[in-house]
Amino acid sequence: MYRSLAAALIVIALTCGSGREPAAQQSTYGDAMRWYEREAAKGSAKAQYFLGLLYERGGGPRTKDLAKAFQWFAKAAAQGYAGAQYKISRAYQFGLGTVSDPEKAVLWYRRAAWQGLPEAQHNLAYMLENAVSTERSPDEAVRWYREAAERGFGPSQFALGSVYMRGMGVERNLAEAWAWLRAAESRQFAGAGEARAALEKEMTPEEMSQARKMAEPRSPR
């Protein structure tokens, strides 16, 4: 019980804020690592994922090691752990701890996206929109942007607003564009407010009225 609690404290410290652990947690870091390593070796996907996080970020007696992080993420991803699937997608996309392979990035983003992970849905949509190692597919890109946007993911809300503003993969709709940009702005996504204000100059009073009604349920209360 003590070791599992210590491990949880270390992960919380590493995944929130600066990644520097309080002194009380530093003394348990070795126990936490040993607990994760033991559980990961038994095949626990969650332990493999968290062990990957510890190697990815470094700290305590462990230095940052992206290659080892990738190895543990890959083990968890193979078991269907969505967070790990997202991590190896980014690793393949940007060459983090492994050789860059955009095709594999698309493959794993898609698997994590199907599990409902908005970050994966957004990145997959971006790659589909911009033909990054895959055929350009505006329709599918819009679909995944929408999936993530409806989950409240600010970057996808901004992207979907831009999609409707440009008419990329959808019919141009300024009211829809304004509503999604307003949703992104309410989540403090950089540039959303400026884009929304600029868009208003093109809109009719009727479009503005419709946009405000559409935006209300999309913004956090």
Side-chain angles (χ1 to χ4, degrees):
M1 177 67 179
Y2 166 78
R3 290 183 178 178
S4 63
L5 177 59
L9 290 172
I10 294 298
V11 170
I12 291 170
L14 289 174
T15 54
C16 298
S18 66
R20 297 178 60 188
E21 306 84 28
Q25 292 179 15
Q26 289 179 358
S27 66
T28 67
Y29 199 107
D31 283 339
M33 287 295 296
R34 283 188 289 274
W35 186 88
Y36 273 126
E37 287 169 344
R38 184 179 68 247
E39 296 303 309
K42 291 178 183 177
S44 167
K46 182 178 288 189
Q48 291 166 350
Y49 171 70
F50 284 136
L51 191 56
L53 287 180
L54 293 175
Y55 277 115
E56 179 186 54
R57 303 184 184 193
R62 291 291 193 277
T63 57
K64 185 174 180 177
D65 190 329
L66 294 181
K68 285 186 177 179
F70 176 81
Q71 290 170 8
W72 286 113
F73 287 144
K75 289 178 183 293
Q79 296 192 65
Y81 199 88
Q85 291 175 339
Y86 172 71
K87 286 292 187 179
I88 66 168
S89 301
R90 292 192 75 254
Y92 280 127
Q93 183 178 1
F94 300 110
L96 304 174
T98 189
V99 177
S100 176
D101 189 332
E103 290 184 4
K104 287 184 179 178
V106 170
L107 170 69
W108 284 103
Y109 274 138
R110 195 180 297 279
R111 291 179 180 179
W114 275 112
Q115 294 204 62
L117 203 66
E119 295 89 343
Q121 292 169 341
H122 178 82
N123 287 8
L124 174 60
Y126 175 85
M127 296 185 84
L128 291 166
E129 179 186 1
N130 295 282
V132 181
S133 192
T134 185
E135 289 187 13
R136 187 169 182 271
S137 179
D139 292 347
E140 190 180 2
V142 169
R143 172 196 168 185
W144 287 115
Y145 278 140
R146 188 183 304 281
E147 288 276 351
E150 289 178 349
R151 293 174 184 271
F153 193 61
S156 290
Q157 292 174 333
F158 181 84
L160 196 55
S162 176
V163 159
Y164 274 108
M165 189 164 54
R166 292 179 285 129
M168 189 281 293
V170 292
E171 184 177 348
R172 191 168 190 253
N173 187 320
L174 300 189
E176 279 278 8
W178 190 96
W180 284 116
L181 290 173
R182 179 68 187 93
E185 180 185 7
S186 70
R187 288 173 173 79
Q188 301 182 338
F189 187 81
E194 292 83 349
R196 178 189 56 76
L199 182 61
E200 287 182 5
K201 298 176 182 178
E202 300 182 41
M203 297 174 67
T204 66
E206 292 76 15
E207 286 174 326
M208 281 301 309
S209 177
Q210 182 185 13
R212 289 193 173 95
K213 290 178 182 177
M214 296 167 70
E216 187 174 348
R218 298 175 185 174
S219 300
R221 298 183 183 278

